[in-house]
Amino acid sequence: MSRPKYSILVVDDDKNICKMIEINLRKTKEYEVRTALNGESCLKAIREEIPDLVLLDIQMPGIDGIETLKRIRDEDPRIPVIMMSAHGTIEKAVQSMKLGAYDFITKPFPADRLLVTVKNALMTSSLKREVDELRTELKKKYHFDNIVGQSGKMQEVFRAMEKIIDSNVTVLIQGESGTGKELIARAIHYQSKRANKPFVAVNCSALPESLLESELFGHERGAFTGATGKRIGKFEVANGGTIFLDEIGLMTQVTQAKLLRVLQEREFERVGGNELVKVDVRVISATNVDLEEAVKNGSFREDLYYRISVFPIKLPPLRERKEDIPLLAAHFLDKFAKQENKNIEGIAPDAMELLMNYHWPGNVRELENAIERAVLLANSNEITPKDLPQNVRAIGERKVYEKESTLSSWIEKLEEEALRQALLECEGNISKTAKKLGIGRATIYRKAKKYGLPMVNK
Ligand SMILES: Nc1ncnc2c1ncn2[C@@H]1O[C@H](COP(=O)(O)OP(=O)(O)OP(=O)(O)O)[C@@H](O)[C@H]1O
Ligand SMILES: [Mg+2]
């Protein structure tokens, strides 16, 4: 099957030029070509069917190329337009670039020049479309709706997030491992005005000091052994967007000092360079170590701590918001059942009880993994205890045991009390007590001994 052809609309008031371009494009067998002789019929053709690209002459009677370009952009700003300028219209060509034309080509042009320009424009525009689609996907994925949490504590987190979405305030997210720090950071970015710019995550604990510095700020050629070329750092990549500094508590003192300067001045130098680089980046940091403690013991700079924690968000561990467990479990069940193409409708009550009783040291991530595994193992249309990991089941078994043992100690207490009372009434006489309670003598003797009750062996 041949791949679908791109459709190109050629607009020029000179019929011969239209024909010449059409022939050259068709020769490649990659393009469908339509032609229009003026701005009006160009717009009409676009309304009938949106082309993948427009080749547009600048000088035309009636509405000229510049005006037509403006109207095309009103119609659909994503169509790439290549302007064709004749001698003397070069200024207009430049003006059209400012209005969003993709490129311009000066007449007369050789066929191969035309073909290269068209090919490049189509490639760029399809890449742009792809990026747009991926961005839309990401925005959907990191929508607040996909962050599960009914508990008061999580509702508080959502309210806090809403307050700072559109500001540039520096955010510090604190929480145990697996509580959703990165998810929250991404959601803040993808719901903010910066959403169309990059979200760049850097794990500050994963790299040794020298490498982390060049990772964050880039380096000039020859800055250190092995720096064979210039490299831009994550701060520059994130320009206009958000940088996520994960595990910031593990950053060394030297890097802390450099980061402090970026936060204060929004500028820095690449490692081994002296050119000042200015950036507009929102900083979100995350940590699962207690930073206040780290400040107290001197391993984290106090001034930096205040800079990064302008707006702190604390994510509670899952064991402190157990009411979210059923919701999260249902959310993950839905996700993995779809992914695995399995028809699992729910979680059996005894399995849910186990999930509720477990203390989840790995928080939401651990729950997510447990449900993923359960979905793979399940062989009925619901998750049952046997599908859950051993440690989750073990907690449940212990609970049952604890429940049983408290029950039996209660029974023992009642038994002891009844026996004490009966022995008292029968003045410690075992035979009389046995008769009274309708229990054998041997049993009374054994139990009285067990509870240390006074008796007279008669
Ligand atoms: N409230 C939530 N709703 C839905 N999914 C969640 C929620 N919280 C966490 N998750 C999911 O749990 C997993 C762990 O979350 P995340 O990676 O954000 O945690 P973290 O705090 O950064 O962990 P770590 O400290 O180990 O890096 C992710 O797959 C995330 O999508
Ligand atoms: Mg994380």
Side-chain angles (χ1 to χ4, degrees):
M1 209 175 81
S2 67
R3 64 195 164 99
K5 290 181 176 176
Y6 288 107
S7 68
I8 297 181
L9 178 62
V10 182
V11 190
D12 199 307
D13 58 323
D14 185 332
K15 235 192 242 164
N16 293 329
I17 290 186
C18 280
K19 199 78 221 152
M20 193 257 310
I21 295 176
E22 185 177 354
I23 290 169
N24 280 320
L25 290 173
R26 277 191 199 282
K27 258 195 221 157
T28 65
K29 301 202 168 25
E30 288 186 22
Y31 308 118
E32 302 269 6
V33 186
R34 287 183 294 164
T35 55
L37 294 173
N38 53 52
E40 281 93 351
S41 37
C42 159
L43 293 166
K44 192 163 161 269
I46 286 179
R47 270 175 226 129
E48 277 163 13
E49 197 197 313
I50 293 182
D52 293 311
L53 180 124
V54 179
L55 275 162
L56 180 62
D57 187 22
I58 291 185
Q59 210 144 40
M60 290 186 295
I63 52 171
D64 69 355
I66 297 285
E67 185 54 33
T68 311
L69 170 67
K70 284 188 197 159
R71 297 196 196 174
I72 294 175
R73 303 207 51 86
D74 286 344
E75 219 45 67
D76 184 341
R78 291 182 308 175
I79 307 172
V81 180
I82 296 172
M83 306 302 285
M84 297 186 288
S85 73
H87 208 62
T89 57
I90 203 84
E91 268 168 34
K92 287 213 164 167
V94 173
Q95 187 193 347
S96 68
M97 295 293 285
K98 287 188 187 140
L99 289 170
Y102 170 79
D103 201 353
F104 69 88
I105 183 166
T106 322
K107 287 195 279 193
F109 41 78
D112 50 357
R113 169 98 175 76
L114 169 78
L115 294 178
V116 168
T117 311
V118 165
K119 203 167 185 165
N120 284 344
L122 285 168
M123 213 155 73
T124 310
S125 99
S126 78
L127 278 176
K128 247 165 114 178
R129 260 169 220 248
E130 222 168 282
V131 169
D132 279 353
E133 276 160 24
L134 286 173
R135 279 221 173 95
T136 316
E137 281 286 298
L138 281 171
K139 273 188 206 175
K140 263 195 249 156
K141 181 167 173 201
Y142 293 109
H143 194 272
F144 286 3
D145 292 350
N146 285 328
I147 308 179
V148 178
Q150 282 284 309
S151 58
K153 285 186 174 168
M154 282 309 284
Q155 291 293 321
E156 227 171 81
V157 169
F158 298 149
R159 274 197 296 277
M161 283 167 76
E162 264 158 23
K163 269 190 221 146
I164 46 103
I165 283 296
D166 277 324
S167 77
N168 285 324
V169 69
T170 304
V171 179
L172 174 66
I173 308 174
Q174 284 170 288
E176 287 178 14
S177 178
T179 45
K181 298 184 292 297
E182 182 154 352
L183 178 69
I184 297 287
R186 285 181 188 272
I188 293 176
H189 172 76
Y190 285 107
Q191 300 310 312
S192 78
K193 282 188 281 199
R194 294 175 176 264
N196 290 335
K197 292 288 163 83
F199 175 92
V200 179
V202 186
N203 187 333
C204 304
S205 72
L207 292 169
E209 175 173 314
S210 56
L211 284 184
L212 177 61
E213 207 183 326
S214 111
E215 176 89 355
L216 288 173
F217 308 109
H219 61 72
E220 298 292 345
R221 188 179 170 170
F224 46 84
T225 346
T228 46
K230 172 177 152 174
R231 181 173 166 222
I232 67 163
K234 294 287 166 76
F235 265 99
E236 272 174 89
V237 176
N239 198 14
T242 305
I243 194 163
F244 176 57
L245 302 174
D246 204 0
E247 314 278 13
I248 197 170
L250 301 173
M251 197 180 257
T252 60
Q253 296 278 344
V254 177
T255 321
Q256 285 179 33
K258 202 151 177 180
L259 176 62
L260 179 68
R261 186 166 149 226
V262 184
L263 291 177
Q264 281 167 339
E265 324 283 345
R266 302 276 154 188
E267 62 184 29
F268 58 89
E269 285 129 16
R270 296 187 197 102
V271 177
N274 44 24
E275 182 197 338
L276 263 189
V277 182
K278 285 200 172 293
V279 283
D280 162 28
V281 172
R282 174 183 212 164
V283 177
I284 303 182
S285 336
T287 174
N288 55 23
V289 303
D290 184 346
L291 276 192
E292 277 180 53
E293 196 48 47
V295 168
K296 271 189 212 138
N297 72 31
S299 62
F300 203 83
R301 292 179 69 120
E302 189 173 15
D303 43 8
L304 180 59
Y305 173 66
Y306 288 119
R307 279 274 165 190
I308 60 165
S309 63
V310 180
F311 194 90
I313 293 181
K314 278 216 159 84
L315 286 182
L318 190 54
R319 63 182 172 280
E320 287 177 19
R321 44 172 162 127
K322 290 208 155 175
E323 60 270 46
D324 286 342
I325 291 176
L327 285 173
L328 281 163
H331 171 78
F332 294 132
L333 177 62
D334 189 50
K335 171 175 154 187
F336 292 117
K338 265 193 201 126
Q339 199 173 298
E340 297 302 322
N341 223 351
K342 281 182 101 168
N343 178 27
I344 305 176
E345 280 150 19
I347 298 171
D350 47 353
M352 185 56 89
E353 199 182 331
L354 290 175
L355 297 179
M356 291 299 283
N357 284 331
Y358 184 58
H359 60 298
W360 301 109
N363 295 292
V364 186
R365 181 181 293 113
E366 192 182 2
L367 175 61
E368 181 173 10
N369 293 342
I371 301 290
E372 180 175 14
R373 178 179 179 275
V375 166
L376 291 173
L377 292 180
N379 47 17
S380 70
N381 65 348
E382 60 176 11
I383 303 282
T384 58
K386 67 171 181 7
D387 305 324
L388 297 175
Q390 176 54 32
N391 46 350
V392 177
R393 269 183 301 164
I395 286 285
E397 279 153 18
R398 200 147 65 229
K399 279 260 165 193
V400 173
Y401 170 75
E402 276 166 15
K403 261 192 211 157
E404 274 174 1
S405 59
T406 42
L407 188 66
S408 58
S409 74
W410 259 95
I411 293 170
E412 281 184 352
K413 279 214 169 62
L414 288 173
E415 187 180 63
E416 182 187 340
E417 211 33 55
L419 191 57
R420 184 196 306 279
Q421 200 60 39
L423 277 167
L424 207 66
E425 282 168 19
C426 305
E427 292 159 331
N429 186 315
I430 295 179
S431 307
K432 273 193 193 165
T433 310
K435 232 186 210 160
K436 184 178 171 69
L437 293 177
I439 301 172
R441 273 190 91 249
T443 308
I444 297 293
Y445 178 77
R446 196 164 36 84
K447 299 256 179 199
K449 206 166 169 208
K450 177 179 164 192
Y451 300 128
L453 301 173
M455 54 188 159
V456 184
N457 200 1
K458 271 194 197 161

